[in-house]
Amino acid sequence: MAYKTIIEPFRIHSVEPLRLTTEEERRSALEDAGRNLFGLHAADVLIDLLTDSGTGAMSRDQWAAIQHGDESYAGSPSWYVFLEAVQELFPFRHVIPTHQGRAAEKILFTALGGPGKVVPNNTHFDTTRANVEFSGAEAVDLPIAAALHPSERHPFKGNVDLDALARLLEERAADVPVVMVTVTNNSGGGQPVSLGNLRGVRELCDRHGVPLFLDACRFAENAWFVHEREEGQARRSVKEIVREFASLADGMTMSAKKDPLANIGGWLACNDDALAARCRTLLVLTEGFPTYGGLAGRDLEAIAQGLREAVDHEYLRYRIRSTAYLGDALLRAGIPIVEPVGGHAVYLDARALLSHIPPLEYPGQVLACELYLAGGVRGCEIGTVMFGRHSDGSESPAAMDLVRLAIPRRTYTQSHIDYVIEVCEEVARRAPTLRGLRIVEEPETLRHFTARFASVPETG
Ligand SMILES: Cc1ncc(COP(=O)(O)O)c(C=O)c1O
């Protein structure tokens, strides 16, 4: 008998209290934060869906692994445990540990980027784009057309537009130091990339002699979708699929705060000896010695154990089904979301829900603020605030205005998610009364982290 209830394949071993607040208390906290949810005290948030990054619950075995942490400066046994676990899934010759994903990106694009260069990706995550652009290079997103239509269903909406990539490489291959593919495509809705599409990217890279790197933060969730949806993959294990993804690439960046189930960590890996030597030199400047790279020995142990748990089929089945549970309930309530539901998050389509608010009045930010006010739920705007400002200071609407409700791994139960559904329904009822926002203060890059907002003045 296949029962409908999603059983968390674990039981709870230690608990953290949550603090209940009133709407008045939340209004005051949000005003103090300049209506930027990144500025809140996390203790004032009830259900924190800001990110799935570093917010997962570690397992008993990860906490036990932490006790094995060896803090030797060079050549720690914990480094070898980490290296073996990484290479078991991603058999690249060089593995360079970093304190998180963006540190790997900074090193990679310092080594490969620079003015005149162009880096294609299905969709650059914000820190990836920022690191490419900070090097002076141009970051170009080449998702398939379906990715830009929130309600269009496609099993692999994270795929790269192969025709667009072929055109770019024909025109400018000499300027392309690396082609990146983000699995799953976070900024594009947490959507998977198919094995077939990655093979196509590989072929184009081979034709033009350009290396291919994965931004592989959500590699296990991506492989689960391949296992479930791609023809001929159902009988293969997630681990086999992950290894095939790795075999198609020349290297990778990783944030261990996502699928590897750790609270901190990352790495850069590649097969190119000369590139690895350059990257290790940069690593020593800012991260640390190449056998710990900004991490404690205990972190390396937690990541190694997390990697083993991340590819477990029971865990992945629960993980993907529980994200879909939230998305399906919102669809039933008539709330527009990106379809199909992705791996780590449900993305609300703020532009559709708040169609009376123009993109340059940040409907995603308005919606994210209201979810917090209505129920203490913290999501994250992924839209014009995050992507609308360009390096020349100009501003234009992002392709979509979304609010991401990212689900931390193994952290919340189904009743927490039922509560989130109720809060979303309440906000959908309030939608017609909500007003746009304007930015009153912003930094030059990555403005979504620190910008401050106020309501647009009432007209008429
Ligand atoms: C696709 C993707 N790439 C890179 C990063 C950066 O990783 P980190 O936050 O560990 O610096 C993230 C983080 O959310 C991400 O989702």
Side-chain angles (χ1 to χ4, degrees), residues 330-408:
L330 297 182
L331 281 175
R332 277 197 303 276
I335 298 171
I337 62 167
V338 173
E339 294 180 70
V341 176
H344 67 294
V346 172
Y347 291 70
L348 308 179
D349 184 351
R351 199 175 284 177
L353 185 66
L354 304 180
S355 54
H356 60 290
I357 300 180
L360 292 179
E361 291 181 11
Y362 315 121
Q365 189 68 19
V366 174
L367 181 59
C369 287
E370 202 60 25
L371 288 168
Y372 175 68
L373 290 175
V377 174
R378 176 158 69 166
C380 180
E381 192 263 9
I382 304 229
T384 303
V385 176
M386 193 179 267
F387 297 118
R389 187 174 192 267
H390 310 296
S391 38
D392 63 2
S394 64
E395 191 182 33
S396 61
M400 294 185 274
D401 279 295
L402 307 175
V403 173
R404 184 184 71 176
L405 302 179
I407 319 288

Side-chain angles (χ1 to χ4, degrees), residues 259-301:
D259 274 359
L261 293 162
N263 300 126
I264 197 72
W267 66 86
L268 169 63
C270 66
N271 287 328
D272 180 332
D273 298 340
L275 175 64
R278 258 188 301 155
C279 291
R280 284 204 180 94
T281 305
L282 292 166
L283 180 88
V284 174
L285 288 178
T286 57
E287 293 285 292
F289 189 73
T291 61
Y292 73 86
L295 292 166
R298 57 179 169 269
D299 300 323
L300 295 167
E301 296 270 359

Side-chain angles (χ1 to χ4, degrees), residues 176-344:
V176 180
V178 62
V179 171
M180 299 290 299
V181 177
T182 305
V183 298
T184 56
N185 188 3
N186 181 1
S187 311
Q191 302 291 332
V193 174
S194 71
L195 206 41
N197 187 254
L198 195 72
R199 289 193 192 114
V201 175
R202 173 79 260 172
E203 255 177 60
L204 289 171
C205 287
D206 283 344
R207 199 178 304 159
H208 295 276
V210 173
L212 165 59
F213 271 53
L214 298 173
D215 175 346
C217 304
R218 298 180 181 83
F219 69 96
E221 291 169 6
N222 197 92
W224 179 257
F225 282 118
V226 168
H227 169 82
E228 293 272 281
R229 295 182 184 168
E230 194 160 352
E231 217 184 312
Q233 299 301 319
R235 260 185 257 115
R236 297 178 79 200
S237 71
V238 161
K239 196 165 155 181
E240 281 174 273
I241 295 168
V242 170
R243 286 175 66 94
E244 184 168 353
F245 265 79
S247 75
L248 290 166
D250 300 290
M252 67 186 294
T253 55
M254 173 63 104
S255 167
K257 301 171 74 172
K258 281 82 173 180
D259 274 359
L261 293 162
N263 300 126
I264 197 72
W267 66 86
L268 169 63
C270 66
N271 287 328
D272 180 332
D273 298 340
L275 175 64
R278 258 188 301 155
C279 291
R280 284 204 180 94
T281 305
L282 292 166
L283 180 88
V284 174
L285 288 178
T286 57
E287 293 285 292
F289 189 73
T291 61
Y292 73 86
L295 292 166
R298 57 179 169 269
D299 300 323
L300 295 167
E301 296 270 359
I303 296 167
Q305 177 58 26
L307 280 173
R308 288 189 277 274
E309 295 173 15
V311 292
D312 178 80
H313 283 209
E314 285 317 313
Y315 158 69
L316 284 168
R317 180 174 294 114
Y318 139 78
R319 168 80 180 148
I320 301 301
R321 275 193 65 201
S322 57
T323 305
Y325 174 82
L326 171 58
D328 292 346
L330 297 182
L331 281 175
R332 277 197 303 276
I335 298 171
I337 62 167
V338 173
E339 294 180 70
V341 176
H344 67 294

